[in-house]
Amino acid sequence: MVSKTRIYNWYIALVAAMCMVLYGYDASVFNAAQGSDNWLEWFDLDTKRDANLIGLINTAYTIGAIVAGWFLGGPTADYFGRRVGMGIGCILTIIATFMQAFAPYHNLGCFIGGRVLIGVGQGMALTAGPVYIGEVAPPEIRGQIMTFWQMFYSVGSFIAYWIAYACNANKAKLGNWDWRMVVIFQILVPLIVIILLPFQPESPRWWIKRHGNVEEAKKALRQIRGSEAEVDFEVLAIREAIEFENEAVGGSYRALFRDPSVRRRLYLAFVLNVGQQLSGQGTLNSYSSAIYKTIWTSTETINLINALNATCGILFTLNAVWTADRFGRRWLFIVGAVGMGVCMMIVPIVGMTTPDVLGAKGTATKTQPVGIAIVFLLFLFIFFYKPSWGATTWIWTSEVFSVNVRAQAVGMCSQMQNVANTIFQQFFPIFLANTGLKCLFFFMATNFLLAVFVWFCIPETMKVPLEEIDTLFGGQNHVEKGEQMLNAADAHHVHGEKNSVEVQQSENRRELGV
């Protein structure tokens, strides 16, 4: 039977994972808003005349997220705590939502300001959230719990797409509320997170790292571990690791580039997070509608497909729950990349080998059966992506860094997704216009290369305690080295043989009167 502490452990991790709903929702909400004629009229925009300006509005969010991820999220989570980092991110998201939803007539600057601020808020929440989950989850189920981080991205997309679908179906009645409704629902989840966060424990690793407060760390661990022995064992391991990091590596972020082992992890995580976007998923999020428009002319049909895609994304992500801690991170990465590569190979082949027909507007398009086949293959792509490069990228990134640089490193690495996506999106519209579905061969090649990269470069981290992961990357065991510095040889083995021997020797001396 599952213990109460294990259930509570899952609960507090899932509250933190809800921060990812912000990202998933926002990734879909702007696409829904710019598809509204009322939104275009309210801000005096024309999709052809102001194409670059509309692109700038979307980029404004990315700028805010990158700035927060690289420069604000890590220091905030390290100085004030993981919960505060998530809370500030949610508060900024709520403020930014109102700026966007109630921007004055023709005042595009207010809307863009809201986009920048929402990027900052999400950049901070997306830095603190995965760090918190990784630090409170026991190693044997860390992968399972982190799976829900990615799943909540799909939940955010699910909510946004279905609200957009409902609003689009009733746009005649709603008027300008057809886009405002989509935007304003973004306050729902951050509001829930803000209410729940104060009532759950702070990361025990933060208590020791920031304040050296062992008692508060133990108090937090007692709520999420099964026995006092587990609490003592973990606290001592944390103390030993932090002691070594402060003395030998340094407590500042300079260790990110000064320590060869940490630097190697940083660069590997950069590649994984960039690869996540270049797999094709980031582009499909932004341009799936453009691809579907080559087959269907009905906006309602396209919105329905996107909503179903988001719904399936939730179910597909759950596959990582039973695979991440059973088969490992490497297995998921490789199988996912190969599966995605095959899908991206077949889609353009289907497009090239089937005849075009004349569409309703006199443009060349595909027959509906061919369109359904292509949609099926893109859904199959999501089936491979969600549990692998979707969920596992976050799992791996959040668990490989030592506590002295963890928050800053996770913030930087996660925002490499936005850096890669922003740069690539400058070229993809032209790529798609000039080559059609053949552009997907690029993603085929990228995914096969990612599988090879993981095979040769990425070590397995499944079920390895956070304080001992450094050894996988050529670093020293922070627990053992810190143990020596604390003059507590083998003390992290709570029931170790040496302790028993020392107790017995002490008793023998008393009996002999020594």
Side-chain angles (χ1 to χ4, degrees):
M1 184 176 177
V2 181
S3 66
K4 291 182 179 179
T5 54
R6 181 55 58 90
I7 293 172
Y8 185 68
N9 205 159
W10 272 93
Y11 162 74
I12 64 172
L14 291 179
V15 170
M18 289 171 70
C19 290
M20 193 61 160
V21 174
L22 281 60
Y23 190 24
Y25 193 100
D26 193 78
S28 308
V29 71
F30 181 65
N31 285 338
Q34 66 178 317
S36 166
D37 293 334
N38 290 314
W39 181 81
L40 294 169
E41 189 277 331
W42 186 263
F43 292 110
D44 190 28
L45 294 170
D46 180 87
T47 52
K48 293 183 179 179
R49 181 194 68 204
D50 301 309
N52 290 335
L53 184 56
I54 292 173
L56 174 64
I57 298 170
N58 199 31
T59 303
Y61 157 80
T62 306
I63 293 171
I66 292 171
V67 169
W70 276 71
F71 304 109
L72 302 176
T76 301
D78 279 339
Y79 192 82
F80 297 106
R82 314 321 192 196
R83 293 181 305 168
V84 172
M86 290 184 281
I88 292 175
C90 289
I91 290 171
L92 292 177
T93 298
I94 292 173
I95 295 170
T97 297
F98 281 104
M99 288 177 64
Q100 292 176 92
F102 299 105
Y105 187 63
H106 285 190
N107 191 335
L108 188 60
C110 182
F111 191 89
I112 293 176
R115 295 294 298 160
V116 174
L117 189 61
I118 211 165
V120 173
Q122 292 181 21
M124 296 185 72
L126 265 60
T127 297
V131 172
Y132 179 86
I133 296 171
E135 291 181 344
V136 300
E140 64 269 17
I141 60 167
R142 190 171 61 231
Q144 296 176 37
I145 292 180
M146 273 302 297
T147 294
F148 285 84
W149 176 259
Q150 174 63 28
M151 193 198 75
F152 276 118
Y153 176 95
S154 299
V155 170
S157 295
F158 170 86
I159 296 171
Y161 275 128
W162 280 110
I163 291 174
Y165 176 72
C167 290
N168 182 71
N170 296 277
K171 59 184 177 184
K173 298 178 183 178
L174 292 172
N176 278 308
W177 280 96
D178 75 329
W179 63 269
R180 281 203 182 104
M181 195 77 74
V182 178
V183 172
I184 206 166
F185 261 92
Q186 198 161 11
I187 71 169
L188 178 63
V189 173
L191 193 60
I192 294 172
V193 174
I194 289 171
I195 293 171
L196 296 177
L197 274 179
F199 302 102
Q200 60 188 62
E202 181 55 85
S203 162
R205 286 164 174 82
W206 179 79
W207 277 117
I208 295 176
K209 172 64 179 174
R210 179 74 182 91
H211 296 288
N213 195 328
V214 174
E215 289 308 311
E216 284 294 340
K218 286 185 175 181
K219 182 179 176 181
L221 280 170
R222 287 187 186 109
Q223 299 180 62
I224 54 177
R225 295 295 183 264
S227 66
E228 192 66 24
E230 283 185 81
V231 172
D232 291 338
F233 178 90
E234 192 161 340
V235 165
L236 190 53
I238 295 169
R239 288 181 61 207
E240 290 165 350
I242 290 175
E243 179 70 19
F244 172 75
E245 289 159 13
N246 287 339
E247 294 296 327
V249 182
S252 71
Y253 296 150
R254 284 178 295 180
L256 281 168
F257 300 99
R258 190 173 64 184
D259 185 294
S261 170
V262 176
R263 188 168 62 241
R264 179 188 171 198
R265 278 171 271 179
L266 184 69
Y267 295 154
L268 289 175
F270 276 177
V271 174
L272 290 178
N273 281 271
V274 169
Q276 185 198 66
Q277 295 303 303
L278 296 187
S279 68
Q281 168 61 14
T283 301
L284 286 179
N285 272 349
S286 301
Y287 293 98
S288 59
S289 296
I291 294 171
Y292 296 147
K293 281 179 181 177
T294 64
I295 304 162
W296 288 283
T297 56
S298 169
T299 302
E300 187 172 342
T301 300
I302 292 171
N303 285 339
L304 178 59
I305 293 171
N306 284 330
L308 290 172
N309 192 341
T311 306
C312 290
I314 297 174
L315 302 176
F316 295 159
T317 305
L318 291 175
N319 284 322
V321 173
W322 64 272
T323 55
D325 287 324
R326 179 175 299 180
F327 300 113
R329 293 30 162 169
R330 279 169 50 85
W331 184 89
L332 276 168
F333 275 135
I334 294 169
V335 171
V338 172
M340 291 188 296
V342 170
C343 291
M344 286 301 182
M345 176 178 66
I346 298 175
V347 170
I349 290 176
V350 170
M352 290 187 299
T353 56
T354 53
D356 292 335
V357 296
L358 198 63
K361 296 183 179 180
T363 57
T365 184
K366 294 294 181 182
T367 62
Q368 186 157 314
V370 174
I372 292 172
I374 290 174
V375 169
F376 169 78
L377 287 166
L378 293 179
F379 274 47
L380 187 61
F381 172 91
I382 298 299
F383 172 82
F384 283 108
Y385 168 82
K386 287 294 184 180
S388 60
W389 288 82
T392 310
T393 300
W394 285 99
I395 295 171
W396 198 89
T397 301
S398 68
E399 67 188 3
V400 296
F401 294 101
S402 47
V403 68
N404 59 323
V405 296
R406 185 174 295 138
Q408 180 65 19
V410 170
M412 293 168 64
C413 293
S414 63
Q415 289 311 316
M416 287 303 292
Q417 298 175 22
N418 277 323
V419 171
N421 204 28
T422 301
I423 294 173
F424 189 72
Q425 297 314 332
Q426 306 306 310
F427 307 103
F428 185 77
I430 301 171
F431 201 12
L432 178 63
N434 291 339
T435 65
L437 291 177
K438 286 186 285 187
C439 69
L440 300 185
F441 282 129
F442 169 83
F443 300 122
M444 174 202 74
T446 300
N447 284 306
F448 289 152
L449 287 174
L450 287 173
V452 174
F453 170 77
V454 170
W455 179 268
F456 287 105
C457 300
I458 300 298
E460 182 56 69
T461 57
M462 179 179 64
K463 298 183 180 180
V464 180
L466 292 179
E467 281 69 38
E468 298 178 15
I469 275 184
D470 299 80
T471 56
L472 300 176
F473 300 91
Q476 301 182 75
N477 188 312
H478 289 198
V479 174
E480 291 180 358
K481 295 297 180 181
E483 176 186 15
Q484 295 168 10
M485 292 177 177
L486 287 173
N487 295 316
D490 291 329
H492 67 288
H493 297 294
V494 176
H495 300 291
E497 294 180 357
K498 186 171 181 178
N499 286 344
S500 301
V501 171
E502 289 175 345
V503 170
Q504 186 63 48
Q505 289 175 342
S506 177
E507 291 175 352
N508 291 340
R509 284 195 296 270
R510 283 200 301 270
E511 290 174 359
L512 294 171
V514 178

